[in-house]
Amino acid sequence: MENFPIINLEKLNGAERANTMGMIKDACENWGFFELVNHGIPHEVMDTVEKLTKGHYKKCMEQRFKELVASKGLEAVQAEVTDLDWESTFFLRHLPVSNISDVPDLDDEYREVMRDFAKRLEKLAEELLDLLCENLGLEKGYLKKAFYGTKGPNFGSKVSNYPPCPKPDLIKGLRAHTDAGGIVLLFQDDKVSGLQLLKDDQWIDVPPMRHSIVVNLGDQIEVITNGKYKSVMHRVIAQTDGTRMSLASFYNPGSDAVIYPAPTLVEKAKEESKQVYPKFLFDDYMKLYAGLKFQAKEPRFEAMKAMEAELKVDPIASA
């Protein structure tokens, strides 16, 4: 199996820029995932985020998770559990309006650190979107503009901990899915692994690396690139030892953003008779995704296509 793509972002600034852009292009076309090193977020910032996230879990969430497991009898399950995940999570919203002040149980230092980390991740996400534009032959800023809507993008973080699990063969840390949105930046535990992606019908480990940021593409990037870049199924395998920390930040279109394939990519696709994806409101897609997250993405795209076809029917003309 070929090696998981690891991109050194510092190499964009010198003689190796073209080669590095080629690596990003290959990762987007063939993996839907890559791992960034030297991405510009200081290591000490990441160390503080990790320390405070793990401390918050121990202090505020670990006992609650144990009580949930006990109440559902999960430690004694004999058959595969298909309707829940072995994870303890909370969500932070950063854009268009932050809710960090309102989330209970966070101490002031943690709130401040997470605000700072979110700003750095937002900047990195926007840099990455422009690198994707460059590789796709789209004008700089195209993807950011496509995501904008009237109030700007949606940006938020899912903070997860995956405690040791007695039955990892029967309960997933997180069931297989593709991400609904745009681009995802993940700061994951470098000691406890578990994240896997599906490539060529095989589950491949995403290697835990200290101070790296894992990037993966969501369904909206697949639509805008007309399938040139694809979102990829991934999952988390629960482990019997150690608690895995995962901080996934989702840079998504605004709720009222209209998503559709970039016209220049559609022209190329038409020449090659490649599929053209539907046009839809991001919020409509998210409503559909909410109930179908752990299923294949293709029926979601088909449902959006059907909605688009209905919208195109002029009621007067067809009366």
Side-chain angles (χ1 to χ4, degrees), residues 216-256:
N216 73 284
L217 307 178
D219 295 348
Q220 307 312 304
I221 294 286
E222 178 165 340
V223 172
I224 294 169
T225 65
N226 197 40
K228 192 171 175 65
Y229 295 170
K230 289 189 169 61
S231 58
V232 171
M233 288 290 259
H234 53 285
R235 67 184 184 184
V236 176
I237 299 296
Q239 306 290 337
T240 51
D241 297 314
T243 296
R244 175 178 177 268
M245 178 203 77
S246 155
L247 222 153
S249 296
F250 300 84
Y251 189 101
N252 289 348
S255 301
D256 65 353

Side-chain angles (χ1 to χ4, degrees), residues 119-191:
K119 283 198 178 74
R120 295 173 189 273
L121 287 168
E122 179 192 342
K123 181 170 169 278
L124 179 58
E126 292 179 351
E127 282 171 21
L128 288 168
L129 288 178
D130 276 344
L131 294 174
L132 266 55
C133 286
E134 190 177 329
N135 270 336
L136 290 160
L138 299 171
E139 66 191 52
K140 188 176 181 182
Y142 182 93
L143 287 170
K144 185 180 175 184
K145 201 169 156 192
F147 281 19
Y148 206 81
T150 57
K151 300 187 183 79
N154 282 307
F155 183 48
S157 300
K158 177 187 176 189
V159 183
S160 307
N161 281 274
Y162 298 91
C165 176
K167 302 276 180 78
D169 51 329
L170 298 178
I171 310 175
K172 292 282 178 292
L174 180 59
R175 289 161 284 165
H177 64 287
T178 64
D179 288 323
I183 191 167
V184 186
L185 278 62
L186 170 71
F187 174 27
Q188 66 165 346
D189 206 295
D190 65 299
K191 295 181 184 68

Side-chain angles (χ1 to χ4, degrees), residues 17-197:
R17 180 181 172 84
N19 183 47
T20 306
M21 290 299 288
M23 288 171 71
I24 294 171
K25 179 175 184 282
D26 179 71
C28 289
E29 288 181 357
N30 297 309
W31 290 79
F33 266 79
F34 51 94
E35 198 152 0
L36 295 179
V37 295
N38 297 322
H39 40 64
I41 299 178
H43 290 177
E44 57 271 23
V45 170
M46 299 180 84
D47 290 342
T48 305
V49 168
E50 181 174 4
K51 185 183 85 175
L52 294 177
T53 299
K54 289 182 171 178
H56 174 263
Y57 172 73
K58 277 259 174 248
K59 183 177 149 198
C60 301
M61 301 183 75
E62 187 173 43
Q63 188 53 38
R64 253 181 269 167
F65 184 77
K66 284 177 177 168
E67 286 165 9
L68 175 76
V69 165
S71 72
K72 292 189 177 289
L74 291 177
E75 291 190 327
V77 293
Q78 301 297 320
E80 188 175 359
V81 177
T82 56
D83 60 348
L84 59 82
D85 305 303
W86 188 270
E87 63 173 359
S88 170
T89 63
F90 66 95
F91 294 86
L92 299 173
R93 192 173 65 248
H94 313 305
L95 294 175
V97 180
S98 171
N99 73 343
I100 287 185
S101 302
D102 309 323
V103 176
D105 301 335
L106 306 185
D107 62 41
D108 291 343
E109 183 191 8
Y110 192 28
R111 286 183 212 275
E112 221 30 67
V113 163
M114 292 304 267
R115 270 194 199 97
D116 172 61
F117 189 47
K119 283 198 178 74
R120 295 173 189 273
L121 287 168
E122 179 192 342
K123 181 170 169 278
L124 179 58
E126 292 179 351
E127 282 171 21
L128 288 168
L129 288 178
D130 276 344
L131 294 174
L132 266 55
C133 286
E134 190 177 329
N135 270 336
L136 290 160
L138 299 171
E139 66 191 52
K140 188 176 181 182
Y142 182 93
L143 287 170
K144 185 180 175 184
K145 201 169 156 192
F147 281 19
Y148 206 81
T150 57
K151 300 187 183 79
N154 282 307
F155 183 48
S157 300
K158 177 187 176 189
V159 183
S160 307
N161 281 274
Y162 298 91
C165 176
K167 302 276 180 78
D169 51 329
L170 298 178
I171 310 175
K172 292 282 178 292
L174 180 59
R175 289 161 284 165
H177 64 287
T178 64
D179 288 323
I183 191 167
V184 186
L185 278 62
L186 170 71
F187 174 27
Q188 66 165 346
D189 206 295
D190 65 299
K191 295 181 184 68
V192 185
S193 65
L195 179 61
Q196 296 182 327
L197 67 94

Side-chain angles (χ1 to χ4, degrees), residues 289-316:
Y289 180 84
L292 303 171
K293 175 177 177 177
F294 298 108
Q295 296 177 27
K297 63 190 169 184
E298 289 78 10
R300 299 196 290 264
F301 294 148
E302 288 304 318
M304 290 290 113
K305 224 173 214 177
M307 277 174 71
E308 184 188 13
E310 280 172 31
L311 290 173
K312 280 181 180 165
V313 175
D314 183 342
I316 297 168

